[in-house]
PDB file of all heavy atoms in Angstrom:
ATOM      1  N   VAL A 563      -5.974 -48.830   3.926  1.00  0.00           N
ATOM      2  CA  VAL A 563      -6.139 -47.344   3.845  1.00  0.00           C
ATOM      3  C   VAL A 563      -7.414 -47.104   2.972  1.00  0.00           C
ATOM      4  O   VAL A 563      -7.639 -47.697   1.971  1.00  0.00           O
ATOM      5  CB  VAL A 563      -4.904 -46.750   2.999  1.00  0.00           C
ATOM      6  CG1 VAL A 563      -5.057 -45.258   2.888  1.00  0.00           C
ATOM      7  CG2 VAL A 563      -3.651 -47.193   3.756  1.00  0.00           C
ATOM      8  N   PRO A 564      -8.267 -46.143   3.483  1.00  0.00           N
ATOM      9  CA  PRO A 564      -9.481 -45.798   2.727  1.00  0.00           C
ATOM     10  C   PRO A 564      -9.101 -45.404   1.308  1.00  0.00           C
ATOM     11  O   PRO A 564      -8.105 -44.720   1.057  1.00  0.00           O
ATOM     12  CB  PRO A 564     -10.061 -44.572   3.530  1.00  0.00           C
ATOM     13  CG  PRO A 564      -9.547 -44.832   4.828  1.00  0.00           C
ATOM     14  CD  PRO A 564      -8.201 -45.378   4.784  1.00  0.00           C
ATOM     15  N   ALA A 565     -10.045 -45.788   0.435  1.00  0.00           N
ATOM     16  CA  ALA A 565      -9.777 -45.531  -1.047  1.00  0.00           C
ATOM     17  C   ALA A 565      -9.459 -44.122  -1.384  1.00  0.00           C
ATOM     18  O   ALA A 565      -8.636 -43.861  -2.200  1.00  0.00           O
ATOM     19  CB  ALA A 565     -10.927 -46.071  -1.814  1.00  0.00           C
ATOM     20  N   GLY A 566     -10.229 -43.211  -0.801  1.00  0.00           N
ATOM     21  CA  GLY A 566      -9.990 -41.781  -1.039  1.00  0.00           C
ATOM     22  C   GLY A 566      -8.598 -41.318  -0.736  1.00  0.00           C
ATOM     23  O   GLY A 566      -8.008 -40.501  -1.373  1.00  0.00           O
ATOM     24  N   GLU A 567      -8.031 -41.802   0.405  1.00  0.00           N
ATOM     25  CA  GLU A 567      -6.745 -41.505   0.828  1.00  0.00           C
ATOM     26  C   GLU A 567      -5.657 -42.133  -0.088  1.00  0.00           C
ATOM     27  O   GLU A 567      -4.628 -41.520  -0.342  1.00  0.00           O
ATOM     28  CB  GLU A 567      -6.541 -41.877   2.290  1.00  0.00           C
ATOM     29  CG  GLU A 567      -7.420 -41.132   3.205  1.00  0.00           C
ATOM     30  CD  GLU A 567      -7.290 -41.570   4.669  1.00  0.00           C
ATOM     31  OE1 GLU A 567      -6.522 -42.542   4.903  1.00  0.00           O
ATOM     32  OE2 GLU A 567      -7.954 -41.070   5.458  1.00  0.00           O
ATOM     33  N   GLN A 568      -5.896 -43.289  -0.623  1.00  0.00           N
ATOM     34  CA  GLN A 568      -5.033 -43.929  -1.556  1.00  0.00           C
ATOM     35  C   GLN A 568      -4.952 -43.106  -2.809  1.00  0.00           C
ATOM     36  O   GLN A 568      -3.825 -42.859  -3.345  1.00  0.00           O
ATOM     37  CB  GLN A 568      -5.481 -45.319  -1.798  1.00  0.00           C
ATOM     38  CG  GLN A 568      -5.231 -46.322  -0.737  1.00  0.00           C
ATOM     39  CD  GLN A 568      -5.753 -47.755  -1.107  1.00  0.00           C
ATOM     40  OE1 GLN A 568      -6.460 -47.909  -2.186  1.00  0.00           O
ATOM     41  NE2 GLN A 568      -5.494 -48.725  -0.325  1.00  0.00           N
ATOM     42  N   GLU A 569      -6.037 -42.608  -3.227  1.00  0.00           N
ATOM     43  CA  GLU A 569      -6.088 -41.868  -4.468  1.00  0.00           C
ATOM     44  C   GLU A 569      -5.342 -40.559  -4.393  1.00  0.00           C
ATOM     45  O   GLU A 569      -4.595 -40.149  -5.298  1.00  0.00           O
ATOM     46  CB  GLU A 569      -7.581 -41.547  -4.813  1.00  0.00           C
ATOM     47  CG  GLU A 569      -7.713 -40.745  -6.158  1.00  0.00           C
ATOM     48  CD  GLU A 569      -9.212 -40.388  -6.428  1.00  0.00           C
ATOM     49  OE1 GLU A 569     -10.044 -40.946  -5.752  1.00  0.00           O
ATOM     50  OE2 GLU A 569      -9.402 -39.630  -7.365  1.00  0.00           O
ATOM     51  N   HIS A 570      -5.427 -39.892  -3.256  1.00  0.00           N
ATOM     52  CA  HIS A 570      -4.843 -38.553  -3.127  1.00  0.00           C
ATOM     53  C   HIS A 570      -3.490 -38.538  -2.393  1.00  0.00           C
ATOM     54  O   HIS A 570      -2.774 -37.517  -2.293  1.00  0.00           O
ATOM     55  CB  HIS A 570      -5.815 -37.619  -2.363  1.00  0.00           C
ATOM     56  CG  HIS A 570      -7.039 -37.358  -3.131  1.00  0.00           C
ATOM     57  ND1 HIS A 570      -8.257 -37.994  -2.808  1.00  0.00           N
ATOM     58  CD2 HIS A 570      -7.370 -36.589  -4.112  1.00  0.00           C
ATOM     59  CE1 HIS A 570      -9.210 -37.557  -3.612  1.00  0.00           C
ATOM     60  NE2 HIS A 570      -8.689 -36.697  -4.456  1.00  0.00           N
ATOM     61  N   GLY A 571      -3.064 -39.704  -1.920  1.00  0.00           N
ATOM     62  CA  GLY A 571      -1.779 -39.783  -1.253  1.00  0.00           C
ATOM     63  C   GLY A 571      -1.717 -39.080   0.020  1.00  0.00           C
ATOM     64  O   GLY A 571      -0.651 -38.677   0.441  1.00  0.00           O
ATOM     65  N   GLN A 572      -2.883 -38.784   0.674  1.00  0.00           N
ATOM     66  CA  GLN A 572      -2.854 -38.024   1.921  1.00  0.00           C
ATOM     67  C   GLN A 572      -3.777 -38.600   2.881  1.00  0.00           C
ATOM     68  O   GLN A 572      -4.753 -39.279   2.532  1.00  0.00           O
ATOM     69  CB  GLN A 572      -3.198 -36.550   1.658  1.00  0.00           C
ATOM     70  CG  GLN A 572      -2.299 -35.900   0.635  1.00  0.00           C
ATOM     71  CD  GLN A 572      -2.674 -34.401   0.517  1.00  0.00           C
ATOM     72  OE1 GLN A 572      -2.857 -33.711   1.478  1.00  0.00           O
ATOM     73  NE2 GLN A 572      -2.978 -34.005  -0.712  1.00  0.00           N
ATOM     74  N   SER A 573      -3.648 -38.287   4.138  1.00  0.00           N
ATOM     75  CA  SER A 573      -4.628 -38.511   5.096  1.00  0.00           C
ATOM     76  C   SER A 573      -4.455 -37.523   6.246  1.00  0.00           C
ATOM     77  O   SER A 573      -3.498 -36.784   6.309  1.00  0.00           O
ATOM     78  CB  SER A 573      -4.517 -39.984   5.697  1.00  0.00           C
ATOM     79  OG  SER A 573      -3.419 -40.049   6.648  1.00  0.00           O
ATOM     80  N   HIS A 574      -5.454 -37.442   7.162  1.00  0.00           N
ATOM     81  CA  HIS A 574      -5.282 -36.555   8.303  1.00  0.00           C
ATOM     82  C   HIS A 574      -4.364 -37.129   9.324  1.00  0.00           C
ATOM     83  O   HIS A 574      -4.375 -38.382   9.533  1.00  0.00           O
ATOM     84  CB  HIS A 574      -6.685 -36.288   8.919  1.00  0.00           C
ATOM     85  CG  HIS A 574      -7.580 -35.597   7.862  1.00  0.00           C
ATOM     86  ND1 HIS A 574      -7.437 -34.285   7.493  1.00  0.00           N
ATOM     87  CD2 HIS A 574      -8.701 -36.037   7.220  1.00  0.00           C
ATOM     88  CE1 HIS A 574      -8.369 -33.996   6.642  1.00  0.00           C
ATOM     89  NE2 HIS A 574      -9.168 -35.101   6.495  1.00  0.00           N
ATOM     90  N   PRO A 575      -3.617 -36.307  10.067  1.00  0.00           N
ATOM     91  CA  PRO A 575      -2.779 -36.873  11.114  1.00  0.00           C
ATOM     92  C   PRO A 575      -3.650 -37.493  12.155  1.00  0.00           C
ATOM     93  O   PRO A 575      -4.730 -37.136  12.430  1.00  0.00           O
ATOM     94  CB  PRO A 575      -2.013 -35.668  11.624  1.00  0.00           C
ATOM     95  CG  PRO A 575      -2.788 -34.468  11.085  1.00  0.00           C
ATOM     96  CD  PRO A 575      -3.467 -34.873   9.905  1.00  0.00           C
ATOM     97  N   ASN A 576      -3.068 -38.500  12.813  1.00  0.00           N
ATOM     98  CA  ASN A 576      -3.636 -39.155  13.974  1.00  0.00           C
ATOM     99  C   ASN A 576      -4.951 -39.873  13.593  1.00  0.00           C
ATOM    100  O   ASN A 576      -5.808 -40.068  14.425  1.00  0.00           O
ATOM    101  CB  ASN A 576      -3.973 -38.201  15.043  1.00  0.00           C
ATOM    102  CG  ASN A 576      -2.721 -37.626  15.696  1.00  0.00           C
ATOM    103  OD1 ASN A 576      -1.727 -38.274  15.887  1.00  0.00           O
ATOM    104  ND2 ASN A 576      -2.774 -36.306  15.990  1.00  0.00           N
ATOM    105  N   VAL A 577      -5.100 -40.285  12.338  1.00  0.00           N
ATOM    106  CA  VAL A 577      -6.290 -41.013  11.957  1.00  0.00           C
ATOM    107  C   VAL A 577      -5.990 -42.507  11.946  1.00  0.00           C
ATOM    108  O   VAL A 577      -5.127 -42.950  11.208  1.00  0.00           O
ATOM    109  CB  VAL A 577      -6.751 -40.691  10.524  1.00  0.00           C
ATOM    110  CG1 VAL A 577      -7.974 -41.358  10.120  1.00  0.00           C
ATOM    111  CG2 VAL A 577      -6.995 -39.151  10.423  1.00  0.00           C
ATOM    112  N   PRO A 578      -6.612 -43.317  12.833  1.00  0.00           N
ATOM    113  CA  PRO A 578      -6.439 -44.679  12.814  1.00  0.00           C
ATOM    114  C   PRO A 578      -6.844 -45.282  11.506  1.00  0.00           C
ATOM    115  O   PRO A 578      -7.851 -44.897  10.933  1.00  0.00           O
ATOM    116  CB  PRO A 578      -7.299 -45.261  13.970  1.00  0.00           C
ATOM    117  CG  PRO A 578      -7.671 -43.995  14.811  1.00  0.00           C
ATOM    118  CD  PRO A 578      -7.580 -42.863  13.741  1.00  0.00           C
ATOM    119  N   LEU A 579      -6.060 -46.273  11.029  1.00  0.00           N
ATOM    120  CA  LEU A 579      -6.455 -46.930   9.790  1.00  0.00           C
ATOM    121  C   LEU A 579      -7.302 -48.157  10.121  1.00  0.00           C
ATOM    122  O   LEU A 579      -6.802 -49.213  10.535  1.00  0.00           O
ATOM    123  CB  LEU A 579      -5.178 -47.396   9.011  1.00  0.00           C
ATOM    124  CG  LEU A 579      -4.171 -46.290   8.647  1.00  0.00           C
ATOM    125  CD1 LEU A 579      -3.054 -46.966   7.864  1.00  0.00           C
ATOM    126  CD2 LEU A 579      -4.869 -45.283   7.883  1.00  0.00           C
ATOM    127  N   GLY A 580      -8.573 -47.995   9.905  1.00  0.00           N
ATOM    128  CA  GLY A 580      -9.442 -49.120  10.206  1.00  0.00           C
ATOM    129  C   GLY A 580     -10.734 -48.639  10.971  1.00  0.00           C
ATOM    130  O   GLY A 580     -10.939 -47.464  11.169  1.00  0.00           O
ATOM    131  N   ASN A 581     -11.426 -49.563  11.438  1.00  0.00           N
ATOM    132  CA  ASN A 581     -12.765 -49.368  12.037  1.00  0.00           C
ATOM    133  C   ASN A 581     -12.514 -48.779  13.388  1.00  0.00           C
ATOM    134  O   ASN A 581     -11.637 -49.291  14.262  1.00  0.00           O
ATOM    135  CB  ASN A 581     -13.554 -50.648  12.144  1.00  0.00           C
ATOM    136  CG  ASN A 581     -14.976 -50.356  12.561  1.00  0.00           C
ATOM    137  OD1 ASN A 581     -15.223 -49.737  13.579  1.00  0.00           O
ATOM    138  ND2 ASN A 581     -15.898 -50.862  11.674  1.00  0.00           N
TER     139      ASN A 581
END
Side-chain angles (χ1 to χ4, degrees):
V563 181
E567 294 175 1
Q568 289 180 346
E569 179 182 352
H570 296 98
Q572 301 181 55
S573 76
H574 298 290
N576 295 321
V577 182
L579 301 182
N581 192 306

